[in-house]
Amino acid sequence: GMGGWEPGGGRGRAAVSMWAVAGGGCPFAGAGATDHFRDGTGNRWGPNGRVGPMRVLADTCMEAGCGFPFHPHRDMEIVTVVCEGAVSHQDTLGNRGRIPAGGIQAMTTGTGIQHTESNLETTRCRIYQVWIEPSKTGLAPSYVDVKRPGDGAAGESWALASGNPDHAAPATIAVDAAILRARFDRGRPAIYRVPTRRHTYIVAAIGAVAVNGVALGERDGARIDDEAELRFESAEPGEVVIFDLPLA
């Protein structure tokens, strides 16, 4: 498997454990997704993988003019992070919008919603979409688009969506979790202090990165265990997305 690294040599448990590898390119004709917890080549969890309440982390590509038709969701917090291109959407509440690269959407599906996602641009769109179980079911459906949820310099991190009071964010989700972005460049590593008694999962969203010395290729993911701090380093500019989740 992909999870045999033991940074620091000989510790009994890998601290930065490669968990899933989404791979590069856009392997789909049209539109499709690779779920880190079900499809990745390094996935050890089989069809029921998860990290705390995070059930799905879909690395999704849509070629120009392609997308996903109306489909239903319920009782799930869904956050979409746009890495490349732009995604256009509409739903059965009458909402519609366009989210460019760098933007996010946070949706409470609650009692039920149907929506579409499409790439109406001339170049491909690449997004991460995460599904997290809410703290309570039966909520009223709602959503927010944030086209510019912060824009930090290299070496900085900032929250995109959060229900964790420790992380103020422009979008609120109905669960004690947070989704953050960190940017790095040559000579300007990003540092993230890992909270205790929490799950942490990361993806190399844009560019390759070394995480505490462990190499992740672009679009690779890793689960973090027993690390007080993460140091993201690269000779090239790039970004990681960090998922902070409760243990239960």
Side-chain angles (χ1 to χ4, degrees), residues 79-85 99-105 126-128 146-162 167-170 178-184 190-192 201-207 218 232 238-244:
V79 178
T80 300
V81 179
V82 184
C83 296
E84 184 182 328
I99 313 163
I104 63 158
Q105 179 188 72
R126 188 164 67 83
I127 65 176
Y128 284 102
V146 185
K147 295 182 190 294
R148 291 184 65 83
D151 193 20
E156 296 181 356
S157 63
W158 61 98
L160 304 174
S162 176
H167 293 292
I179 300 167
L180 305 96
R181 200 168 198 147
R183 189 168 281 163
F184 49 83
I191 308 295
Y192 175 71
Y201 191 83
I202 60 174
V203 290
I206 300 174
E218 183 175 68
F232 301 103
E239 297 182 14
V240 291
V241 177
I242 303 164
F243 301 90
D244 161 62

Side-chain angles (χ1 to χ4, degrees), residues 11 13-17 44 194 198-200 222-228 230:
R11 279 188 280 178
R13 188 173 173 196
V16 179
S17 51
R44 312 173 202 168
V194 181
R198 303 280 289 179
H199 286 300
T200 304
R223 190 185 66 188
I224 307 303
D225 293 308
D226 303 326
E227 289 286 313
L230 298 179

